[in-house]
Amino acid sequence: HSVECYFTVVRTSEGITNISGRTHKDAVTALAWSNDSQKIATGSADATVKIWDASNGKELATLLAIRSSVTAMAFSPDQRWLAVAAVDLSIRIFRMADLTLQKTFFGHEKPVEALAFHPRSWLMASASRDGTIGLYNVKQGVGHGRIEASHQALSALKFSPDGRYLASGGLDKILRIWKLSATTSDEQSD
């Protein structure tokens, strides 16, 4: 059976404009908006990711390299990368210039619920239902280790605007703030 999902763009500066069209064959399970506000990515239980022009709702691309339902997505601050987490425990990194799959990370024992990019470096973090936070250097394609954050599932993750801290939260109802080492947070983007 198929679930109808529609994309609608509302532009308030020029009045209200609705642009609708079928987006996915199953529920939309994750969203990401590029920092320049030009693109929106939608991830679905149908194991696809679609990239949209945020100004007019036009579908720009469909990524089919995902093997299972999408659980979380994030654009890098410079819009060079799109990270996509899925139920199969993977985190796939796509280069936005040509939409090619660059790297696939594994390491969590349960699906990732949140992804976040550091505001000024190649560092990316993942929060999982297994209670851990994964850290990755997206440019080098290597993991930076794990933080045992909770005995319960994590569902939220965000870097501070200055990049010195990482906050996490989950089912244990506790906000945890992690101070990043200077070497971890200073891996600057090119």
Side-chain angles (χ1 to χ4, degrees), residues 15-183:
I16 297 175
T17 303
N18 292 320
I19 301 169
S20 298
R22 186 184 173 116
T23 62
H24 290 280
K25 295 177 183 174
D26 207 336
V28 172
T29 54
L31 295 168
W33 203 314
S34 64
N35 281 356
D36 65 1
S37 299
Q38 298 300 307
K39 293 181 179 77
I40 296 174
T42 55
S44 174
D46 67 12
T48 64
V49 170
K50 292 182 181 276
I51 311 296
W52 306 90
D53 182 319
S55 68
N56 61 21
K58 179 182 176 187
E59 182 179 335
L60 302 174
T62 299
L63 304 177
L64 302 173
I66 297 89
R67 308 253 189 267
S68 62
S69 180
V70 176
T71 58
M73 295 188 306
F75 280 102
S76 63
D78 61 5
Q79 288 80 237
R80 289 185 190 185
W81 312 100
L82 176 65
V84 178
V87 170
D88 68 0
L89 309 182
S90 68
I91 302 170
R92 289 178 169 81
I93 308 298
F94 293 89
R95 183 173 51 213
M96 289 303 297
D98 57 8
L99 299 173
T100 58
L101 178 63
Q102 297 298 298
K103 178 70 179 173
T104 302
F105 293 107
F106 289 95
H108 289 290
E109 295 175 9
K110 294 184 179 178
V112 168
E113 291 293 318
L115 293 168
F117 277 93
H118 188 276
R120 292 184 311 279
S121 79
W122 297 104
L123 186 65
M124 182 190 69
S126 60
S128 170
R129 292 181 200 163
D130 66 13
T132 65
I133 296 170
L135 298 171
Y136 315 87
N137 180 311
V138 174
K139 184 177 182 183
Q140 295 175 352
V142 296
H144 268 306
R146 293 251 170 288
I147 300 170
E148 297 291 332
S150 175
H151 294 292
Q152 295 186 25
L154 296 177
S155 56
L157 186 72
K158 186 73 175 172
F159 284 98
S160 63
D162 66 7
R164 293 176 36 206
Y165 300 94
L166 178 64
S168 67
L171 293 182
D172 64 4
K173 305 176 192 112
I174 298 172
L175 167 67
R176 290 181 171 84
I177 300 176
W178 310 90
K179 185 171 184 176
L180 301 174
S181 70
T183 56

